[in-house]
């Protein structure tokens, strides 16, 4: 039994490290984005890390940073257990909650870049300012980022497609300070759920 527990723990760590697309390094005070074509490190200025938990999660947290280079960043890192699945698009839930909880009157998509496992969307907020939302994803993981300044979004886009015209970087930008976790609130709103035994047997 003891050896089974060790093997299981090792497998969880292995799959988490392989599939996880962002890693917060407390000692180095940085975030490393390592997903397919991107290998980028961001040095943080004054990070506020919050561990989040659900029965479906293996590696989940939120990270806020008033970054000197990139402006106000909010990151939610979500990695789900293999037996759990989203009840919709993670990015869709994220944007919906952002719009609702910040009480924006309008939140209109004006530009979107999609390639491989990246989706970077720019929204016009209340008809005045712009914000970019980054979604980096794989089978069970999502890294969702509110990129107020837009500089991080531009750098990722240019790394993936140098010819793509990233718009609105020099337009008036937002300074959203956000503090809501999909994982922490999953029990109330059911963004993701565990697969039932009957569903597993069908597969």
């Amino acid at each position: 039994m003891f050896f089974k527990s060790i093997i299981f723990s090792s497998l969880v760590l292995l799959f988490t490290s392989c599939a996880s697309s962002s890693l917060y390094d407390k000692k180095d005070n940085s975030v490393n984005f390592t997903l397919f074509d991107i290998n980028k490190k961001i040095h943080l200025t004054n990070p506020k890390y919050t561990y989040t938990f659900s029965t479906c999660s293996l590696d989940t947290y939120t990270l806020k940073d008033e970054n000197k280079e990139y402006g106000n960043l909010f990151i939610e890192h979500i990695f789900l257990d293999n037996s759990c699945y989203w009840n919709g698009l993670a990015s869709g839930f994220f944007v919906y909650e952002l719009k609702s909880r910040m009480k924006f009157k309008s939140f209109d998509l004006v530009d979107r870049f999609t390639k491989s496992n990246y989706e970077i969307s720019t929204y016009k907020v209340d008809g005045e300012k712009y914000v970019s939302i980054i979604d980096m994803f794989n089978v069970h993981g999502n890294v969702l980022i509110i990129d107020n300044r837009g500089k991080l979004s531009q750098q990722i886009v240019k790394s993936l497609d140098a010819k793509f015209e990233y718009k609105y970087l020099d337009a008036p930008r937002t300074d959203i300070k956000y503090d809501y976790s999909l994982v922490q609130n999953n029990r109330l709103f059911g963004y993701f759920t565990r697969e039932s035994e009957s569903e597993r047997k069908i597969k």
Side-chain angles (χ1 to χ4, degrees):
M1 186 68 181
F2 175 72
F3 289 108
K4 283 184 179 179
S5 298
I6 291 176
I7 292 169
F8 177 75
S9 299
S10 300
L11 285 171
V12 167
L13 286 172
L14 173 66
F15 283 115
T16 301
S17 60
C18 290
S20 181
S21 44
S22 136
L23 179 65
Y24 173 45
D25 187 336
K26 293 181 182 179
K27 291 182 180 178
D28 192 38
N29 214 28
S30 65
V31 173
N32 298 279
F33 298 106
T34 53
L35 179 61
F36 301 104
D37 301 320
I38 297 289
N39 188 357
K40 182 172 184 57
K41 176 184 279 191
I42 296 177
H43 291 284
L44 302 173
T45 304
N46 185 28
K48 293 181 180 177
Y49 170 92
T50 304
Y51 169 76
T52 57
F53 173 78
S54 87
T55 55
C56 275
S57 62
L58 292 176
D59 182 16
T60 56
Y61 57 83
T62 62
L63 188 62
K64 295 185 290 183
D65 188 45
E66 294 180 8
N67 195 272
K68 288 180 181 177
E69 182 177 0
Y70 295 99
N72 213 334
L73 294 173
F74 175 87
I75 301 170
E76 180 155 22
H77 181 273
I78 305 169
F79 185 69
L80 300 183
D81 183 281
N82 285 332
S83 62
C84 296
Y85 59 89
W86 288 96
N87 291 315
L89 288 174
S91 58
F93 290 132
F94 188 78
V95 168
Y96 173 80
E97 295 296 355
L98 173 62
K99 179 183 176 181
S100 300
R101 293 179 186 282
M102 296 303 295
K103 297 182 171 27
F104 295 131
K105 294 176 182 176
S106 63
F107 200 80
D108 302 316
L109 178 67
V110 293
D111 194 33
R112 175 165 284 164
F113 171 84
T114 305
K115 186 172 182 180
S116 330
N117 294 69
Y118 301 84
E119 183 177 270
I120 297 175
S121 306
T122 301
Y123 296 87
K124 191 171 187 179
V125 180
D126 289 345
E128 297 178 356
K129 298 183 178 181
Y130 296 86
V131 65
S132 296
I133 306 293
I134 302 168
D135 181 17
M136 299 188 289
F137 54 89
N138 51 30
V139 177
H140 288 283
N142 288 79
V143 179
L144 296 151
I145 305 171
I146 298 174
D147 179 19
N148 282 289
R149 192 171 290 177
K151 185 176 180 180
L152 177 59
S153 297
Q154 183 199 39
Q155 290 176 350
I156 292 174
V157 167
K158 292 302 178 186
S159 296
L160 294 168
D161 185 352
K163 294 180 180 179
F164 185 86
E165 183 186 358
Y166 179 77
K167 303 173 184 176
Y168 308 107
L169 183 65
D170 297 322
R173 304 289 299 197
T174 56
D175 189 30
I176 298 167
K177 291 184 172 122
Y178 192 61
D179 190 18
Y180 181 86
S181 165
L182 296 178
V183 173
Q184 286 291 88
N185 292 280
N186 183 64
R187 190 170 181 179
L188 289 174
F189 299 103
Y191 306 116
F192 49 82
T193 190
R194 185 172 296 281
E195 192 175 46
S196 67
E197 286 295 328
S198 59
E199 287 175 314
R200 288 185 208 174
K201 287 177 182 177
I202 290 171
K203 289 182 180 179

